[in-house]
Amino acid sequence: SIVHGAKIIELKGKFDDAIKLVLDVSKKSDDIYLLNSINPFRLEGQKTAAFEIVEDLNEAPDFVYLPVGNGGNISAYWKGFNDVYRLGWATFNPRMIGLQAIGADPIVEDRPIDDPETIATAIRIGNPTNWKLAENAINESSGLVFGVSDDQIIEAYGNVYFPGKYPLALDSNVQDLIYAAGGLRSNT
C-alpha cells in the first residue's frame, strides 16, 4: 500500500471499532475505497484460492480448515468451492472448518464478544462483518466451527516453528498451529 502512495492512519482501539469508523468514513467520501473482507471484489479474488487447491489436488479436499476473524476467508473459499463444483472441476465440496481463538470466538459462542482478547491479533474480532456468510459456509458444507486457546496456539507454534528457517506469524497460520496442536473445542 505504501509503495503505491496510500496514506496509512493508525487507529487506537479494537478492530470492531475501526471497521465501524472506516465504514462511516468511506460512505461519506468518494475518495476512500474500502478494501476489506466486506468488499465483494476482495471476496471474489479470495475465492480463487479454492480454484488453486482443486487444481493442485485434482479434486476438492475433504476438509478445509481456516481461521475466522471477520469471516471473509471462509465465505470466499466456500464460494470458490461452489463455483468449482458447478463447473465440474470437482465432484464434491469440502466441509468448511472455521477456527476461532477462544476469547475472540463470537461464532463459536453464538454471540458478539464485546472485548475480544487473544494473541492471534489478525482474528481478534468480536463481531465479524461477514458473520452470516461465514455461518452459511459452515452450515451449507456440513462443517464446524471450533475454538482454540492461546495456550494451544503457543504449543502448536513450538511444534511447527523452525527458528531461522520458516518464520510463522501466530495469527496468520492459526489453522496450521491448531492442526499441529490437535486440540479443538466446538459449541456446535
Side-chain angles (χ1 to χ4, degrees):
S1 298
I2 295 171
V3 172
H4 297 287
K7 182 177 181 181
I8 298 174
I9 302 168
E10 185 175 345
L11 303 173
K12 294 195 183 290
K14 302 176 291 201
F15 175 88
D16 299 296
D17 299 330
I19 196 69
K20 286 178 195 167
L21 177 64
V22 171
L23 281 168
D24 288 344
V25 170
S26 67
K27 287 177 185 172
K28 294 176 185 173
S29 173
D30 291 335
D31 295 335
I32 297 174
Y33 184 76
L34 182 59
L35 185 57
N36 183 279
S37 59
I38 60 173
N39 180 312
F41 297 116
R42 180 171 173 181
L43 297 179
E44 285 294 314
Q46 285 176 293
K47 79 176 184 182
T48 63
F51 301 175
E52 293 181 32
I53 291 169
V54 170
E55 181 180 30
D56 286 348
L57 299 176
N58 294 315
E59 181 58 273
D62 292 329
F63 300 91
V64 173
Y65 291 77
L66 288 166
V68 177
N70 212 24
N73 287 336
I74 198 164
S75 55
Y77 277 59
W78 179 240
K79 184 174 182 9
F81 283 115
N82 276 301
D83 287 354
V84 165
Y85 177 75
R86 278 193 294 276
L87 290 167
W89 300 348
T91 59
F92 63 91
N93 274 327
R95 293 178 67 187
M96 304 301 290
I97 311 298
L99 304 163
Q100 293 193 302
I102 295 170
D105 54 347
I107 298 175
V108 171
E109 294 293 330
D110 196 29
R111 64 175 177 81
I113 306 293
D114 291 333
D115 197 18
E117 278 303 320
T118 176
I119 59 170
T121 57
I123 59 172
R124 188 188 299 154
I125 298 171
N127 193 11
T129 55
N130 286 314
W131 188 323
K132 291 299 175 204
L133 289 176
E135 277 187 338
N136 289 344
I138 293 162
N139 293 333
E140 289 172 10
S141 72
S142 298
L144 298 167
V145 61
F146 290 97
V148 64
S149 71
D150 284 350
D151 288 342
Q152 289 172 304
I153 293 171
I154 291 168
E155 176 189 346
Y157 185 81
N159 292 339
V160 298
Y161 175 65
F162 302 100
K165 282 194 124 181
Y166 307 107
L168 295 174
L170 283 173
D171 44 15
S172 62
N173 295 329
V174 168
Q175 69 275 18
D176 298 325
L177 298 174
I178 293 167
Y179 174 78
L184 301 172
R185 173 180 74 98
S186 174
N187 282 355
T188 59

